[in-house]
């Protein structure tokens, strides 16, 4: 019984496949237009730094590497602090608050090392690069003052990003197509639900409660149904 119902539903969808295709095409196109013309692309640029003591002076023990992984939270708080943000805003003459800039700063650790990555996201790719480099420079000074770290070295300076990190055009279009297909399925089922015309002998027995004693065949001749 379940297999028959599934086959019936499949036939209903295939009979009105054009509704599914139309809805998927419309919402896919809407997603494309919205993604490319209404969403502001965001670019990300990052710089990497090494933070630790000079290995030539006292040696670099394994415990120092473990300690460095725990200090990432401290480095993150310093990089996102008002001191660093205010200094960056002042030097770059930015028109934003320290809190707003701090919200764009992301600090992460490169594996189990003392190398940290400072990333900046902005709608202007050059601005993202400039802010990332300036944050690294200011952080380089502040972390020495605050934590008495012996060495902070910039490894890679931020570069001009070429492609935005968001929005994801392919993902948005695919989501639009999926939602459009789901909408089409809903429309087809609604049409079928409200369609009470008699189409099969089973419909006669179901709706009229009368036995079927015969059926008139339909012939196709020269493009006309008789």
């Amino acid at each position: 019984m379940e297999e028959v119902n599934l086959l019936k539903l499949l036939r209903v969808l295939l009979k009105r496949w054009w509704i599914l295709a139309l809805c998927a095409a419309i919402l896919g196109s809407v997603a494309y237009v919205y993604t490319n013309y209404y969403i502001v692309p965001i670019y990300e640029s990052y710089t990497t730094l090494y933070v630790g003591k000079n290995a030539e002076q006292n040696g670099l023990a394994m415990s120092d590497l473990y300690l460095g992984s725990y200090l990432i939270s401290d480095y993150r708080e310093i990089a996102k602090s008002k001191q660093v943000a205010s200094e960056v805003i002042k030097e770059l003459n930015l028109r934003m608050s320290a809190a707003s800039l701090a919200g764009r700063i992301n600090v992460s650790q490169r594996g189990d090392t003392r190398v940290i990555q400072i990333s900046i996201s902005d709608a202007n790719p050059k601005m993202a690069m400039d802010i990332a480099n300036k944050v690294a420079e200011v952080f380089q000074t502040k972390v020495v003052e605050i934590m008495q770290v012996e060495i902070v070295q910039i490894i890679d300076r931020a570069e001009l990003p070429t492609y935005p990190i968001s929005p994801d055009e392919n993902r948005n279009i695919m989501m639009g197509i999926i939602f459009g297909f789901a909408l089409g399925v809903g429309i087809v089922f609604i049409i079928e639900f409200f369609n009470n015309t008699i189409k099969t002998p089973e419909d006669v027995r179901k709706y009229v409660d009368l036995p079927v004693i015969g059926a008139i065949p339909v012939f196709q001749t020269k493009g006309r149904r008789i």
Side-chain angles (χ1 to χ4, degrees):
M1 187 66 177
E2 181 180 355
E3 182 180 356
V4 174
N5 290 336
L6 291 177
L7 290 175
K8 182 178 179 180
L9 293 177
L10 182 60
R11 292 193 190 97
V12 169
L13 293 176
L14 292 177
K15 183 173 63 175
R16 294 187 169 88
W17 63 268
W18 59 273
I19 296 180
L20 308 181
L22 182 62
C23 290
I26 290 176
L27 287 194
S29 300
V30 169
Y32 172 82
V33 172
Y34 183 74
T35 299
N36 287 277
Y37 297 98
Y38 292 94
I39 298 180
V40 178
I42 300 298
Y43 297 84
E44 182 182 70
S45 187
Y46 66 89
T47 178
T48 56
L49 304 91
Y50 172 81
V51 184
K53 69 179 183 180
N54 193 333
E56 295 179 358
Q57 294 178 358
N58 300 314
L60 189 62
M62 184 62 66
S63 60
D64 295 327
L65 294 177
Y66 290 129
L67 180 61
S69 64
Y70 288 115
L71 291 177
I72 186 63
S73 297
D74 298 337
Y75 299 150
R76 182 182 295 108
E77 292 303 316
I78 293 175
K80 297 171 70 71
S81 66
K82 290 183 178 180
Q83 288 189 42
V84 172
S86 298
E87 186 69 23
V88 172
I89 291 173
K90 179 181 178 182
E91 294 193 20
L92 294 181
N93 194 26
L94 302 177
R95 295 182 179 180
M96 65 177 69
S97 65
S100 176
L101 177 58
R104 300 185 185 184
I105 301 174
N106 182 45
V107 182
S108 58
Q109 183 180 15
R110 288 287 188 88
D112 295 327
T113 68
R114 286 176 176 262
V115 178
I116 64 172
Q117 175 178 300
I118 297 179
S119 308
I120 301 294
S121 299
D122 195 273
N124 187 325
K126 186 177 184 304
M127 183 63 68
M129 178 187 68
D130 292 341
I131 294 178
N133 284 325
K134 185 57 64 175
V135 168
E137 294 172 6
V138 176
F139 172 81
Q140 187 179 23
T141 302
K142 296 297 182 181
V143 76
V144 173
E145 296 176 359
I146 297 173
M147 300 186 65
Q148 301 299 313
V149 178
E150 297 176 9
I151 180 172
V152 180
Q153 183 66 42
I154 297 177
I155 301 175
D156 293 318
R157 294 184 61 83
E159 299 179 350
L160 186 68
T162 305
Y163 301 100
I165 59 172
S166 69
D168 189 334
E169 179 180 337
N170 293 332
R171 175 181 175 275
N172 290 351
I173 293 176
M174 183 58 62
M175 292 299 294
I177 292 175
I178 292 174
F179 284 129
F181 185 83
L183 176 62
V185 170
I187 292 175
V188 169
F189 284 154
I190 290 175
I191 293 175
E192 189 67 20
F193 179 79
F194 287 103
N195 185 6
N196 56 5
T197 57
I198 303 298
K199 298 179 288 296
T200 64
E202 289 76 12
D203 292 337
V204 175
R205 288 190 290 267
K206 178 179 178 181
Y207 296 109
V208 186
D209 194 22
L210 292 174
V212 178
I213 60 176
I216 301 175
V218 177
F219 299 97
Q220 190 83 18
T221 58
K222 296 183 179 180
R224 298 177 59 187
R225 301 182 67 185
I226 302 176

